[in-house]
Amino acid sequence: MNDFAGTSTLVRLALRRDRVIVPVWILVFVGMAASSAQASISLYPEVQDRVSAAETSNSSPALVSLYGRIFDPTSLGEVSLFKLTSFGALLVGLLAALLVVRHTRTEEETGRLELLSAGVLGRYAALTSALIVSVSTVLVLGLLTALSLIGVGLPASGSFAFGLTWAAAGLAFAAVAAVAAQVTEGARTANGLIAVALGVSYVLRALGDSASEGGARWISWLSPIGWAQQIRPYAGDRFLVVLAPLALMVVLVSAAFALIRRRDVGAGLIRPRPGPATAAPSLRSPLALAWRLHRGSLYGRGFGFLLLGFVVGNIASDVDGFVSSQSAKDLVEKLGGVSGLTDSFLSAEMGILGLLASAYGIQAALRLRSEETALRAEPLLATGVTRARWLGSHVAMALFGTGVLIMLGGLGSGISSGASLDNMGSQVPRMLAAAAIQLPAIWLVTALVVLLFGLAPKLITAAWGLFVAFVLLGQFGPIFDLPQGLMDISPYAHTPRLPGGDFTAAPVIWLAAIAAALALTGLTTFRRRDIG
């Protein structure tokens, strides 16, 4: 039998399964790039405004490490999109990798691929189809992004180079995921390896970019994200650099195909270590098991939030130099919702950290459905564990995890900005309060996942669509002057703007009450429906 037999069938199956989530994420990326470019074009109308912003950014090690270096300070396109070049490449790489794992290792872990293999299905069909879907997604994403940037008035050549930047990162990390899916037996472990690869790649790029003139800037060339950045959209448009990620993709995909023949379906090259025959006392409760399942992800994200908080606080001390034009200052104050440039910046950034914490809450709550569909929930519920205790343990971890993450972000930003502004004694409490005030909106979004899990578990991934809608309304509504009634649909629109703004208890109490009602409704409906 041909090793690629059945590939077209699996491609059609994957496209049918992803017919909602992939278009949504493509629209999110395209909209993010176009809206950022559109907003920034009006902020830097004059060359001197762009040069001032670029010099401030390039002189700040924190900004260079986070976003990368601006190669052409006079370029409207690069100054408008430099925050999305490397960071966007990271996110597109993550999307491409997750798609590969979703249609390879996850299918093996759930047993669906073995069932399909009983028919006419070649050994390479699953990996080939996953790569086709992932590569097609990032290419379409890159093309539509380029067209949207042309549509807002940026040069065509630079726009296609920017789209290629994102696509190149996606191609490289799709290949990384292809190898990771062969190494491990679990999808979560494969995703963990991918996260490590992405993190190392981003750190290498940051180290190279932040090196001094004549220093070790060559380190950026050790990173696939660094390769993508070196395409330099709107600052030279070096299209030939894409050959580097393409070469990496060829090598890694060839290695992945070779590794497939060295393992059985469902197995990985590295077998997991067997656990002890008897569980420790610390694992003999649903909450302890939930902690064990969630702790690895929480540890990694906690470090990331603390580091991001430090970066945000460091940038806050330089925000006056970065936004030199009055229109830029007005935009920052509009996003932050308070007067005073530094407080507005910190308020806006705490809102973004709140969004990132919400994404973790959604992912943690989605673990309920994955445990159910993987048939791991039913054996637990066949014992003395009640449905309320099982569901409550995972919901408690989701709520606890989001609280830990946002508070770590607030702590990091408070320490960093306090040290820069020489008022740490007052700044740390202010930023912790600004972090804590984000929790009711975060918990409401998490509770929506619990509600969907109880009412319509097959539609639970719609929570990501609701999250995207809330983000667009709550975060970008003020930029586009949307009607207040429309923006009020987003729970993030009701969060008091701290630091610097006025605290009002009523919206916080209402958000918390709605979150509790949604979670209780989800629990009640889950107790009345069948498992699976």
Side-chain angles (χ1 to χ4, degrees):
M1 181 175 63
N2 187 340
D3 284 334
F4 295 94
T7 298
S8 60
T9 301
L10 291 184
V11 169
R12 291 195 298 272
L13 176 61
L15 291 176
R16 178 173 176 78
R17 290 180 60 201
D18 295 342
R19 64 186 182 276
V20 175
I21 189 170
V22 166
V24 166
W25 279 114
I26 289 176
L27 289 176
V28 168
F29 279 102
V30 173
M32 181 171 61
S35 60
S36 177
Q38 183 67 56
S40 299
I41 286 173
S42 60
L43 297 181
Y44 307 110
E46 304 296 334
V47 174
Q48 57 266 31
D49 294 331
R50 300 195 287 271
V51 171
S52 175
E55 289 177 349
T56 301
S57 177
N58 287 339
S59 63
S60 170
L63 281 171
V64 172
S65 298
L66 185 61
Y67 299 122
R69 190 169 295 278
I70 298 177
F71 297 102
D72 183 1
T74 65
S75 170
L76 177 60
E78 189 176 20
V79 174
S80 298
L81 293 167
F82 83 99
K83 290 185 178 181
L84 295 180
T85 304
S86 296
F87 193 68
L90 173 74
L91 297 178
V92 173
L94 177 62
L95 173 63
L98 292 179
L99 286 175
V100 172
V101 173
R102 170 179 167 83
H103 295 296
T104 53
R105 178 50 60 184
T106 301
E107 293 296 284
E108 293 188 48
E109 190 177 10
T110 58
R112 287 192 291 263
L113 185 59
E114 187 174 9
L115 182 64
L116 290 171
S117 298
V120 182
L121 193 67
R123 184 184 294 266
Y124 298 151
L127 179 57
T128 305
S129 63
L131 287 170
I132 290 174
V133 171
S134 181
V135 169
S136 300
T137 297
V138 298
L139 290 178
V140 170
L141 188 155
L143 176 61
L144 293 180
T145 299
L147 294 176
S148 70
L149 295 177
I150 295 172
V152 300
L154 293 180
S157 178
S159 298
F160 281 113
F162 185 87
L164 186 62
T165 295
W166 279 6
L171 296 176
F173 285 102
V176 171
V179 174
Q182 315 310 315
V183 173
T184 69
E185 287 192 4
R188 287 177 63 86
T189 307
N191 287 334
L193 292 176
I194 292 164
V196 170
L198 284 164
V200 170
S201 179
Y202 205 79
V203 169
L204 288 174
R205 193 278 312 158
L207 290 174
D209 285 353
S210 57
S212 60
E213 187 72 31
R217 292 189 177 179
W218 54 268
I219 294 177
S220 293
W221 286 93
L222 301 178
S223 162
I225 295 178
W227 298 340
Q229 180 185 261
Q230 288 298 329
I231 294 175
R232 299 191 181 184
Y234 306 106
D237 304 333
R238 306 194 299 184
F239 291 96
L240 289 180
V241 177
V242 77
L243 294 177
L246 287 177
L248 177 67
M249 183 180 184
V250 170
V251 172
L252 292 181
V253 169
S254 299
F257 281 125
L259 294 175
I260 288 177
R261 288 197 170 276
R262 303 178 64 88
R263 66 177 185 86
D264 295 328
V265 175
L269 294 176
I270 300 177
R271 289 190 168 275
R273 185 181 62 181
T278 304
S282 59
L283 282 176
R284 295 175 186 172
S285 72
L287 184 60
L289 177 60
W291 165 251
R292 179 71 175 242
L293 294 173
H294 290 274
R295 66 180 183 180
S297 177
L298 185 57
Y299 287 156
R301 285 176 169 82
F303 176 76
F305 267 72
L306 183 62
L307 182 62
L308 189 57
F310 277 118
V311 172
V312 166
N314 184 272
I315 295 173
S317 62
D318 296 327
V319 70
D320 284 305
F322 182 67
V323 284
S324 56
S325 68
Q326 186 58 45
S327 56
K329 294 178 180 179
D330 292 341
L331 177 63
V332 172
E333 293 191 358
K334 182 181 288 189
L335 286 173
V338 298
S339 59
L341 196 57
T342 301
D343 280 347
S344 292
F345 176 80
L346 289 171
S347 175
E349 295 303 316
M350 287 309 303
I352 293 175
L353 288 176
L355 297 179
L356 296 176
S358 298
Y360 170 80
I362 294 173
Q363 187 178 35
L366 285 174
R367 186 65 188 256
L368 289 165
R369 182 58 178 168
S370 65
E371 291 291 299
E372 183 181 17
T373 55
L375 304 180
R376 291 189 288 265
E378 194 167 1
L380 286 174
L381 296 175
T383 65
V385 177
T386 64
R387 293 193 179 199
R389 289 183 65 199
W390 178 75
L391 183 142
S393 65
H394 284 278
V395 173
M397 285 309 307
L399 300 181
F400 171 75
T402 54
V404 168
L405 294 181
I406 193 66
M407 295 305 288
L408 284 173
L411 178 64
S413 61
I415 293 174
S416 182
S417 62
S420 300
L421 301 172
D422 199 24
N423 62 345
M424 189 180 298
S426 62
Q427 192 69 4
V428 171
R430 292 178 78 232
M431 293 310 300
L432 288 176
I437 207 66
Q438 307 290 328
L439 282 173
I442 296 171
W443 286 345
L444 190 152
V445 174
T446 305
L448 278 173
V449 183
V450 181
L451 177 66
L452 289 172
F453 176 71
L455 281 176
K458 293 183 178 180
L459 301 177
I460 194 170
T461 53
W464 286 114
L466 293 173
F467 173 64
V468 171
F470 292 156
V471 170
L472 294 177
L473 290 174
Q475 295 297 314
F476 295 101
I479 297 177
F480 299 109
D481 294 321
L482 296 179
Q484 187 61 45
L486 184 60
M487 290 190 290
D488 284 343
I489 296 175
S490 170
Y492 305 110
H494 302 277
T495 299
R497 304 296 186 178
L498 298 179
D502 296 325
F503 172 75
T504 306
V508 175
I509 295 173
W510 274 109
L511 288 173
I514 294 172
L518 292 175
L520 289 174
T521 304
L523 171 61
T524 302
T525 52
F526 171 62
R527 296 175 66 180
R528 295 176 180 174
R529 70 170 176 85
D530 295 332
I531 298 295

